[in-house]
Amino acid sequence: MSFKASGSVAADEYNQIWHKCWNTNVTKWDKGDVSPALRELIEEKHWQLPEGQGIVPGCGRGYDAMFLAKPTLHMVGADLSPIAVSTATKLRDEKGLPSELVEFKTIDFFNFDVPHDKFQVAYDYTFFCALHPSMRASWGARYAEILSPGAHLIALMFPLSKSEEDRERGPPFLLCEDDYHKALDENFELIHINPKCKTHDTRVGEEIITVWRRR
């Protein structure tokens, strides 16, 4: 199922796409491992993340949430699909990671109770592009709502395209760096960008990793 990038969509109808994908095990966006760009940022660039708790919306099978989790950073993997959450929890248990480090929850990103202390870290990959373009302003506003001042939002921009013609239908909806600035600049400061980040072999030239700090 695809939608035109113009206009708007009903959230409930749109969300059925993802339930159908998980129900039929059609998850083509899943590469089976942590994104190379995120691994590079943390392990090679030694990016220092705030302590506290973090969230990965649209976490899927949870690779990135499990990778980021550590004693000083409790991670929550959030997904609309109970199947995704169950699968991620099973993988976590197989890896021997305790729920005190990382947990997975069936959550609607736009409608859940935010912890009192909010989140200090968020990671967004294959989530922004999965949303209909009419939802992007709400996406940025929601991150501003759930992240505390000084929090870091790691946004791995994907899939990038400079051609307007390519951006007419989705999901995934092709995007550009300016799309993130429009959604985030009011409440976030871009503090890191690497257009030459490591990527999956099939996504070379389609990804840029960025870090944004909540004002």
Side-chain angles (χ1 to χ4, degrees):
M1 183 183 296
S2 66
F3 290 80
K4 291 183 178 179
S6 59
S8 60
V9 296
D12 289 345
E13 176 189 0
Y14 193 74
N15 287 343
Q16 291 306 311
I17 299 174
W18 313 114
H19 289 298
K20 182 178 180 180
C21 285
W22 282 102
N23 289 339
T24 57
N25 197 30
V26 178
T27 55
K28 297 179 180 179
W29 62 86
D30 188 313
K31 291 297 183 179
D33 199 1
V34 177
S35 61
L38 179 61
R39 189 180 295 277
E40 177 187 31
L41 179 73
I42 301 301
E43 294 185 347
E44 299 180 30
K45 302 294 185 182
H46 305 293
W47 190 266
Q48 296 298 309
L49 292 172
E51 297 181 358
Q53 53 187 343
I55 187 169
V56 180
C59 68
R61 291 181 171 86
Y63 316 114
D64 300 316
M66 288 186 276
F67 173 73
L68 289 170
K70 56 183 179 179
T72 57
L73 183 62
H74 174 81
M75 293 299 302
V76 176
D79 206 287
L80 276 173
S81 169
I83 295 175
V85 169
S86 175
T87 302
T89 301
K90 182 180 178 181
L91 285 174
R92 180 202 66 192
D93 294 343
E94 290 174 353
K95 291 177 177 290
L97 296 173
S99 59
E100 289 77 16
L101 275 183
V102 56
E103 59 183 321
F104 296 97
K105 297 182 177 181
T106 303
I107 285 177
D108 179 348
F109 173 72
F110 294 100
N111 184 26
F112 72 93
D113 293 332
V114 183
H116 179 265
D117 293 330
K118 301 190 177 183
F119 294 96
Q120 288 66 54
V121 173
Y123 178 63
D124 195 287
Y125 180 43
T126 70
F127 185 62
F128 186 72
C129 68
L131 299 174
H132 190 269
S134 63
M135 301 176 179
R136 289 176 177 172
S138 297
W139 171 90
R142 183 58 168 165
Y143 269 126
E145 183 179 4
I146 70 173
L147 292 174
S148 62
H152 288 189
L153 166 59
I154 306 171
L156 182 48
M157 300 178 177
F158 167 83
L160 295 167
S161 173
K162 296 181 180 179
S163 171
E164 290 296 330
E165 294 182 1
D166 292 340
R167 302 171 65 189
E168 292 181 355
R169 298 194 70 89
F173 290 95
L174 276 67
L175 45 86
C176 65
E177 182 183 335
D178 191 52
D179 293 322
Y180 286 84
H181 281 286
K182 289 177 180 177
L184 294 174
D185 278 355
E186 181 177 353
N187 295 298
F188 291 84
E189 175 189 5
L190 178 62
I191 59 174
H192 175 78
I193 183 167
N194 182 8
K196 297 182 179 180
C197 63
K198 293 183 177 180
T199 68
H200 294 289
D201 292 342
T202 57
R203 295 178 178 174
V204 175
E206 297 182 349
E207 298 183 339
I208 295 177
I209 196 163
T210 61
V211 183
W212 306 72
R213 182 168 53 215
R214 178 72 169 92
R215 298 183 192 279

